[in-house]
Amino acid sequence: MPRRYYITTFGCQMNKADSERMAGVLEAMGLEPVPEPDEADVLLYNTCTIRDNAEQKLYSYLGRQAKRKHQDPNLTLIVAGCVAQQEGERLLRRVPEVDLVMGPQYANRLGELLEQVWNGSQVVATEPLHIVEDITKPRRDSTVTAWVNVIYGCNERCTYCVVPGVRGQEQSRRPEAIRAEIEELAAQGYKEVTLLGQNIDAYGRDLPGITPEGRRQHTFTDLLYYIHDVPGIERIRFATSHPRYFTERLIRACAELPKVCKHFHIPFQSGDNEILKAMARGYTRERYLQIIETIRRYMPDAAISADAIVGFPGETETQFQRTLDLVAEVGFDQLNTAAYSPRPNTPAATWDNQVPEEIKEDRLQRLNHLVATIASDRSQRYLGREEVVLVEGVNPKDAQQVYGRTDGNRLTYLPGDIETLRGQLVRVRITDARAFSLSGVPLVDHALAGA
């Protein structure tokens, strides 16, 4: 039986969380991680299909490892995640050396699928599956912060997005199971959890129950109230939000609950209403700006981040300019940007009004320049302020420094010893503010922030 494994993860936080779960399965089976892929007996690629370049990178890696497998037949090659779900058996026809192709919903069944492989089968596991409560224990990449899945899948049908097809329908976990996982993390010394969902604001709409007031019994807002008092957990984050479902009740809860970080990641994708309609996003520019205004009314200093796509089919220069205008009006702390990439089995990929690549690249560069300028301006408000930083690790570029994040999710570096400060909330005076990170000095000899 193989004894060493290596996982390569592409894509989003959900994929990173899935990789932690699969690493937990492998270690429970007796396998140990190795630092380099060529040292492993089991190679697992947890894939992303949002962008074509990630998919092409996967096939490049597989090509190299397929050659290696001809020299070492005992090597086990696994492709998991969204490309696996999208391609299924086609992936085996393209790279027949792959032993196991498995969709995201099979992450906690990796062990039984591997047993089939090691008994001589080539396995494709991509059929729709109801996700039973996951009893596997993830191998966490951090000892301070942890991902916690609260809802799997997505019921939206954005015309550019493959997620519903590869991650399946929405399935919410029971709140009791989520709280139990967070309590166990607290008992292990974790200080921060990030609640994850492809569309986290949709949490609970597939769970039964109606309140006396006539609303759903289980909503994401109710979940925040339910888990907020877990002893030992100092911070709660969540991602990713959808403007269609982002309510004032949720905003009010985030303002009221002290452990919930005042950072919101709410993708807007385009600043033009016609493009938003073509994307099937279900909201308007005006609705998005109303959400931002409401957040800042309750929490004036809240950090806002988002995602945006340029060059969507049919996008004109005037429509792109509306995206630039929205970015300038909101003043994002961070914005993840991408040029539109046609994806298989999505409506927009078949339209005949595709924007030329050179125009997409030009618009992406212009947007990125604006984003960097605004982020740098937003960072200046931190200069001279005291911020509370949860220390996570050592600065990889300077062993004399540690790093952590502020409540607003701003990466911050400070001098200190990781053995003393890891997992501690440290009051820091900010002395340097860059576009996407800060530096500072700890106050009162590394005094911990009070609760």
Side-chain angles (χ1 to χ4, degrees):
M1 177 179 167
R3 290 296 175 189
R4 298 164 298 178
Y5 77 89
Y6 186 92
I7 297 178
T8 298
T9 306
F10 302 89
C12 68
Q13 294 169 323
M14 293 289 288
N15 270 19
K16 294 174 184 176
D18 287 347
S19 289
E20 289 183 348
R21 292 162 61 209
M22 290 187 286
V25 171
L26 294 173
E27 295 192 9
M29 298 174 72
L31 280 75
E32 298 179 352
V34 289
E36 299 295 334
D38 288 347
E39 300 175 15
D41 306 305
V42 174
L43 270 177
L44 190 153
Y45 296 97
N46 192 13
T47 59
C48 172
T49 188
I50 294 296
R51 302 277 170 249
D52 183 63
N53 61 343
E55 192 171 331
Q56 296 312 312
K57 188 179 291 186
L58 163 70
Y59 285 111
S60 175
Y61 289 173
L62 284 176
R64 177 186 174 189
Q65 295 301 332
K67 293 179 182 177
R68 180 183 158 207
K69 183 157 184 170
H70 289 296
Q71 306 299 320
D72 180 9
N74 292 322
L75 175 64
T76 301
L77 291 178
I78 305 167
V79 179
C82 295
V83 172
Q85 184 68 33
Q86 171 187 289
E87 296 299 308
E89 292 184 6
R90 291 192 299 272
L91 198 150
L92 293 184
R93 290 196 289 271
R94 183 166 176 176
V95 189
E97 292 83 0
V98 171
D99 298 286
L100 169 60
V101 177
M102 51 179 282
Q105 66 270 35
Y106 284 86
N108 62 333
R109 298 179 64 177
L110 173 60
E112 60 190 85
L113 296 175
L114 270 178
E115 293 292 347
Q116 295 178 43
V117 168
W118 292 335
N119 284 330
S121 299
Q122 192 175 38
V123 179
V124 176
T126 56
E127 289 300 310
L129 177 73
H130 178 72
I131 301 172
V132 297
E133 182 55 39
D134 190 356
I135 60 172
T136 59
K137 293 187 181 299
R139 176 189 179 272
R140 308 284 183 180
D141 287 335
S142 169
T143 59
V144 179
T145 68
W147 315 110
V148 177
N149 286 312
V150 303
I151 180 172
Y152 300 99
C154 181
N155 287 0
E156 303 304 305
R157 287 293 181 266
C158 301
T159 55
Y160 58 84
C161 186
V162 298
V163 167
V166 296
R167 283 199 171 266
Q169 295 294 297
E170 290 169 0
Q171 295 182 49
S172 302
R173 295 177 65 193
R174 296 291 304 184
E176 299 83 4
I178 296 168
R179 183 179 172 103
E181 181 176 348
I182 295 172
E183 288 174 341
E184 183 175 354
L185 289 168
Q188 295 170 11
Y190 285 87
K191 299 301 173 105
E192 176 183 294
V193 294
T194 300
L195 310 179
L196 292 182
Q198 216 70 48
N199 178 9
I200 201 163
D201 306 299
Y203 173 81
R205 63 180 178 180
D206 58 323
L207 297 177
I210 299 294
T211 69
E213 297 80 22
R215 61 174 177 78
R216 294 197 315 272
Q217 182 176 347
H218 300 289
T219 69
F220 183 62
T221 302
D222 294 305
L223 180 66
L224 287 179
Y225 281 111
Y226 179 66
I227 61 129
H228 183 267
D229 64 348
V230 173
I233 297 297
E234 301 287 351
R235 285 181 170 177
I236 299 168
R237 302 186 187 275
F238 60 89
T240 295
S241 296
H242 194 302
R244 179 183 285 184
Y245 306 103
F246 208 88
T247 66
E248 183 167 353
R249 181 170 177 260
L250 173 59
I251 295 169
R252 189 167 58 248
C254 293
E256 292 174 357
L257 296 172
K259 291 184 183 181
V260 176
C261 293
K262 307 314 183 258
H263 167 241
F264 300 88
H265 185 74
I266 315 174
F268 66 90
Q269 305 302 7
S270 173
D272 180 80
N273 284 341
E274 291 183 9
I275 295 296
L276 288 172
K277 184 176 181 180
M279 289 177 167
R281 288 291 287 171
Y283 56 87
T284 63
R285 170 197 183 97
E286 291 74 23
R287 169 60 184 149
Y288 187 86
L289 290 173
Q290 182 185 50
I291 291 170
I292 303 303
E293 188 279 329
T294 305
I295 289 173
R296 289 184 168 153
R297 176 157 44 88
Y298 282 93
M299 294 160 282
D301 197 45
I304 311 290
S305 61
D307 302 339
I309 297 171
V310 302
F312 186 77
E315 182 188 65
T316 65
E317 176 63 25
T318 299
Q319 290 170 324
F320 168 66
Q321 187 63 48
R322 292 193 182 103
T323 291
L324 295 180
D325 292 345
L326 185 145
V327 171
E329 182 173 350
V330 171
F332 291 98
D333 291 82
Q334 186 166 346
L335 184 65
N336 302 322
T337 63
Y340 169 73
S341 175
R343 306 311 300 132
N345 306 314
T346 61
T350 67
W351 298 346
D352 59 8
N353 57 348
Q354 303 294 321
V355 175
E357 289 298 320
E358 61 271 19
I359 293 178
K360 288 194 283 190
E361 286 304 315
D362 173 69
R363 290 177 183 172
L364 185 61
Q365 289 182 18
R366 288 155 61 193
L367 176 58
N368 285 341
H369 177 74
L370 177 62
V371 167
T373 299
I374 291 173
S376 180
D377 290 344
R378 289 282 293 166
S379 270
Q380 301 313 304
R381 73 190 194 276
Y382 290 106
L383 276 176
R385 279 189 2 188
E386 291 184 17
E387 289 288 324
V388 177
V389 174
L390 176 61
V391 176
E392 299 177 34
V394 178
N395 182 351
K397 296 181 178 180
D398 185 348
Q400 303 304 310
Q401 290 186 334
V402 296
Y403 72 86
R405 293 184 182 272
T406 67
D407 181 278
N409 205 40
R410 192 61 63 113
L411 184 65
T412 304
Y413 299 98
L414 59 143
D417 172 43
I418 190 60
E419 298 305 320
T420 303
L421 296 180
R422 190 192 304 274
Q424 301 298 318
L425 289 166
V426 180
R427 289 196 183 278
V428 176
R429 184 176 302 282
I430 303 303
T431 57
D432 190 19
R434 297 168 293 277
F436 303 111
S437 66
L438 308 170
S439 294
V441 293
L443 298 176
V444 198
D445 195 24
H446 302 315
L448 301 189

